[in-house]
Amino acid sequence: MYLSRFLSLHALWVTVSSVIQHYTSAWGHYDVCKTQIYTDEGKFWDYTACQPEAIDMMKYVKVSLDPPDITCGNPPETFCGMGNPYMCNECDAAIDELAHPPELMFDAEGRYPSTYWQSTTWKGYPQPLLVNITLYWNKTIELTDNIVITFESGRPDLMILEKSLDYGRTWQPYQYYATDCLNAFNMEPKTVRDLSQQTVLEIICTEEYSMGYMANSKILHFEIKDRFAFFAGPRLHNMASLYGQLDTTKNLRDFFTVTDLRIRLLRPATGEIYVDPQHLTRYFYAISDIKVIGRCKCNLHATGCREENKKLLCECEHNTTGPDCGKCKKNYQGRPWSAGSYLPIPKGTANICMPSISSIGNCECFGHSNRCSYIDLLSAFICVSCKHNTRGQHCELCRLGYYRNAAAKLDDENVCIECNCSRFGSVHDRCNERGICECKQGATGPKCDKCLRGYNWHNQGCQSNVCDNELQICQNGGTCHNNVRCQCPAAYTGVLCEKRSCEMDPDGCSQSSAQGAISLPCVILLLPLIAPLGLSGFLIF
Ligand SMILES: *[C@@H]1O[C@H](CO)[C@@H](O)[C@H](O)[C@H]1NC(C)=O
Ligand SMILES: *[C@@H]1O[C@H](CO)[C@@H](O)[C@H](O)[C@H]1NC(C)=O
Ligand SMILES: *[C@@H]1O[C@H](CO)[C@@H](O)[C@H](O)[C@H]1NC(C)=O
Ligand SMILES: *[C@@H]1O[C@H](CO)[C@@H](O)[C@H](O)[C@H]1NC(C)=O
């Protein structure tokens, strides 16, 4: 049975791998958690590592501003053009067309004029104008594309992008942005292109995006794709290599993972070395768009991530649960939870949660073992080291040489009784369900420890009687010794002293026994020899 099981699994594997080769391109993104496989043996589920699609995370974001009243328009105020301090406009929170609330950072862009959030102006100069914009999802997400922030007002002179991995309890810098990194943060200016596979996790300060309103671009990046490219190649054509690295390097995986992002605006675009105190209405922050593309982190246990009550939740498979599929479902804790793996490429390893021991139907180990082991080949749990002479997947059977005690429950220590078959009288040490042993010829009794009539205990077994006082009587005055031999008078011989002794009477012993007595055992002896020959002949042809 084990052999045929093994063979069918082997056949299954062959089928699966050919299916995979066929669909490698489609499956390379880990977009199915399981597939049904058809084999001669029936249908099977093949479980694979899986992850949700990357989506526009700004659809699900929540935002908070610090200080909370930093948005312009309450009370209404005037702000002026960066390039031309005399071209001014009004921000008024009470009038739709003149209001610049935070939502406008996340609305659909591409329309003209673009809509944007705007802060109050830098009236408090020389006090710094500090604003924190915190984006939070209450869900762990994995960034898959650059974070792109579009500033309507010119890019800030100083800014820090921070991230949190623990729902905002602790924060780490992600990247520093400054017109002068050394001066502002005491850091050598760098760009992502200065990094390498070995230094990809370095937190850098870049001057690339802080040229204020003078530069043509309003856009600021946090470069995810350039970092991916160190592993996946310039056009990200070798994602397998990246996935392989992510799989084995937790730090790398965590680097691209966030629950929250914080944009710390430290100094608005000034466009000049010195701030002009006469025209502080020129200095403020305004953001028209923030792009965050990523996927729900589901630990490779889900392809679905749905919004429920304004919150993203992985639709966990593989009998995992939790917002990130980060634990095993109740009754599926048969082995410790583990994230799926991208390896081996392309279908990965699902690492599904296994049923808990206590939930395998009504069977456990019936108190005869406290250890279970999962056997992949059989897709089943097996009790290990069954005690009390039990055996079987759930210690529900008796060991060979023992039989089931009908009076005891399955969890009774005395559930299995020793057969106690006679070593000499029984064919083997096994007995039937009532404790009856299988006896050799001549032996009898439940344990085969007695001899049948006509047999006697001799030579540690039941030997057929050679002589007795009823049926096989010693002749010609012979006497029966222990039922095994006749002691014959001098003139007689033979088993029952039925022949005349040759020495005494040369004529009388001429041909009386020979043929008949020898030819019979001859046939009996040959039969067992012929039978195996015939059988093996059959097997060969
Ligand atoms: C912004 O966040 C930082 C920590 O990330 C904190 O130190 C600071 O007080 C916050 N508020 C403002 C207005 O900067
Ligand atoms: C965050 O999500 C958890 C469940 O994952 C929920 O219990 C909690 O209330 C959520 N917090 C917020 C602020 O939405
Ligand atoms: C998870 O458990 C359900 C029963 O609750 C079962 O039908 C399903 O096949 C299991 N899935 C996996 C991946 O083991
Ligand atoms: C089996 O036989 C041994 C000795 O031969 C005896 O001690 C033992 O009690 C027997 N067990 C049973 C179940 O009869």
Side-chain angles (χ1 to χ4, degrees), residues 23-243:
Y23 289 104
T24 295
S25 54
W27 290 17
H29 297 291
Y30 301 91
D31 52 6
V32 288
C33 295
K34 59 181 178 186
T35 36
Q36 199 146 39
I37 302 291
Y38 296 86
T39 70
D40 297 345
E41 297 277 313
K43 292 188 285 187
F44 293 88
W45 284 109
D46 181 43
Y47 298 101
T48 49
C50 50
Q51 65 185 7
E53 265 181 273
I55 52 172
D56 174 5
M57 281 294 165
M58 293 314 280
K59 284 188 184 154
Y60 308 99
V61 78
K62 295 195 185 67
V63 63
S64 77
L65 296 192
D66 180 29
D69 58 355
I70 197 69
T71 300
C72 70
N74 187 19
E77 67 175 314
T78 300
F79 62 95
C80 300
M82 180 66 63
N84 181 351
Y86 303 102
M87 214 176 91
C88 298
N89 222 324
E90 195 82 358
C91 176
D92 187 342
I95 303 174
D96 262 4
E97 298 87 85
L98 300 180
H100 296 283
E103 307 83 274
L104 297 183
M105 289 187 275
F106 320 124
D107 61 343
E109 287 297 317
R111 286 176 295 132
Y112 181 83
S114 65
T115 54
Y116 52 91
W117 163 81
Q118 186 173 308
S119 73
T120 56
T121 59
W122 199 357
K123 298 179 294 269
Y125 177 85
Q127 295 294 312
L129 180 63
L130 302 179
V131 182
N132 285 350
I133 302 173
T134 304
L135 309 175
Y136 57 99
W137 287 269
N138 197 14
K139 169 81 193 82
T140 318
I141 61 179
E142 294 166 335
L143 301 174
T144 59
D145 204 339
N146 293 0
I147 297 171
V148 184
I149 306 170
T150 309
F151 288 88
E152 189 60 26
S153 57
R155 299 178 290 192
D157 282 0
L158 291 184
M159 180 189 129
I160 309 177
L161 182 66
E162 291 183 336
K163 63 173 265 193
S164 171
L165 252 172
D166 53 10
Y167 307 98
R169 273 186 288 279
T170 61
W171 293 88
Q172 299 86 44
Y174 225 171
Q175 192 145 301
Y176 294 85
Y177 300 84
T179 42
D180 183 341
C181 282
L182 210 52
N183 186 36
F185 299 114
N186 199 21
M187 292 169 81
E188 285 290 338
K190 279 193 182 167
T191 72
V192 169
R193 288 169 293 286
D194 297 327
L195 299 177
S196 67
Q197 261 195 26
Q198 286 69 41
T199 59
V200 67
L201 301 183
E202 192 183 314
I203 305 302
I204 59 167
C205 178
T206 178
E207 297 178 353
E208 216 175 341
Y209 305 108
S210 306
M211 294 308 160
Y213 76 103
M214 305 279 267
N216 286 329
S217 179
K218 304 170 163 184
I219 291 172
L220 176 152
H221 282 260
F222 177 70
E223 304 88 344
I224 298 287
K225 285 195 156 171
D226 287 336
R227 287 174 168 88
F228 281 175
F230 292 124
F231 303 97
R235 281 177 304 283
L236 305 186
H237 57 275
N238 189 5
M239 286 302 275
S241 156
L242 172 66
Y243 285 143

Side-chain angles (χ1 to χ4, degrees), residues 331-368:
N331 293 336
Y332 286 89
Q333 284 152 359
R335 67 176 181 195
W337 174 90
S338 143
S341 162
Y342 285 114
L343 303 173
I345 305 286
K347 71 166 194 159
T349 310
N351 291 332
I352 63 173
C353 289
M354 298 297 185
S356 308
I357 288 103
S358 58
S359 69
I360 312 174
N362 54 1
C363 289
E364 18 160 345
C365 299
F366 295 109
H368 303 307

Side-chain angles (χ1 to χ4, degrees), residues 4 23 48 100 147 156 280 315-316 345 348 372 440 457 467 491 494 523:
S4 78
Y23 289 104
T48 49
H100 296 283
I147 297 171
L280 291 174
E315 297 180 305
C316 302
I345 305 286
C372 274
K440 286 182 188 163
W457 193 258
C467 58
V523 173

